[in-house]
Amino acid sequence: MHKFEEKTIKTNPIYRGKVISLQVDDVLLPDGTEAKRELIKHPGAVCVIALTDDKKIILVEQYRKALERPLVEVPAGKLEPGEVPELSAKRELEEETGYRPGRITHVQSFYTSPGFADEIVHVFLAEDLVKVEDGLTVDDDEFVELMEVTIEEAEQLLKEDRIYDAKTMWALQYVRLNDLV
């Protein structure tokens, strides 16, 4: 047991949805006192840094209801139950962009908001892209616009607050720091 570990005494499920579930845990703190923790459970997600042969970054623009605005992002999506992250990354890239990677590499994984959620995002680098004949096959409730931009154009989108999410900012920084374009 870690010296900061909080032992769960009781879990109260609040909501179970298609993407997340919410629970309130009663926990015993290291000093012996009790506290409550509101927790979001998430199946995990992937995002893909997709680079074209001419050194452009593939992004998608879509409306994000939680923010009541569109965002420009790297292709991403949640893991299906039991799905291996690499397969999810390939699936999401093809669904959202119409591209299939010839080569895909796991770059990093990170937690988005560990203070209250267990969502982990697995980041992949996709290269040697091949356009799929069928094109985009997004989910029925998903509307996206494909963009292929230079790193400078992506950085301009960042300055304009059109790119406003952590995974995409992280991806752009990774591209720039590793001289990938």
Side-chain angles (χ1 to χ4, degrees):
M1 183 165 141
H2 189 275
K3 64 182 177 181
F4 299 131
E5 185 174 345
E6 299 176 357
K7 183 178 178 190
T8 303
I9 300 167
K10 177 181 155 193
T11 297
N12 181 21
I14 304 296
Y15 171 79
R16 181 170 302 282
K18 181 180 167 185
V19 177
I20 64 163
S21 63
L22 173 64
Q23 68 191 48
V24 177
D25 284 4
D26 293 328
V27 298
L28 183 63
L29 301 175
D31 68 359
T33 60
E34 292 184 17
K36 291 196 180 292
R37 298 289 186 245
E38 297 172 352
L39 305 173
I40 294 173
K41 296 296 189 172
H42 187 280
V46 296
C47 73
V48 183
I49 304 167
L51 302 178
T52 65
D53 290 340
D54 59 348
K55 302 298 184 191
K56 290 193 175 178
I57 303 162
I58 295 181
L59 301 173
V60 293
E61 183 171 22
Q62 60 187 320
Y63 191 80
R64 292 302 195 177
K65 182 63 179 164
L67 304 179
E68 296 288 356
R69 62 176 282 198
L71 290 183
V72 176
E73 306 172 49
V74 290
K78 74 176 183 64
L79 293 168
E80 298 299 331
E83 188 175 33
V84 175
E86 181 178 320
L87 296 179
S88 178
K90 289 177 181 179
R91 176 181 52 76
E92 287 293 340
L93 180 64
E94 188 171 329
E95 285 178 3
E96 291 192 0
T97 71
Y99 281 101
R100 184 174 294 140
R103 183 173 38 152
I104 194 160
T105 309
H106 179 257
V107 173
Q108 182 79 44
S109 297
F110 61 85
Y111 291 100
T112 58
S113 299
F116 62 87
D118 68 351
E119 179 187 23
I120 188 168
V121 175
H122 305 282
V123 183
F124 288 86
L125 175 63
E127 299 171 288
D128 302 328
L129 304 178
V130 176
K131 192 72 171 163
V132 178
E133 285 184 30
D134 297 340
L136 300 178
T137 57
V138 294
D139 296 333
D140 291 340
D141 64 348
E142 204 171 30
F143 299 89
V144 301
E145 183 175 308
L146 181 66
M147 302 171 74
E148 295 183 15
V149 300
T150 64
I151 188 67
E152 292 81 14
E153 291 167 331
E155 289 168 342
Q156 183 59 39
L157 292 168
L158 185 62
K159 289 176 187 171
E160 295 169 1
D161 290 338
R162 290 183 61 202
I163 292 176
Y164 211 69
D165 68 297
K167 71 183 178 310
T168 304
M169 291 178 187
W170 190 98
L172 295 178
Q173 183 178 21
Y174 180 83
V175 167
R176 187 53 102 178
L177 289 174
N178 289 283
D179 293 320
L180 297 179
V181 293

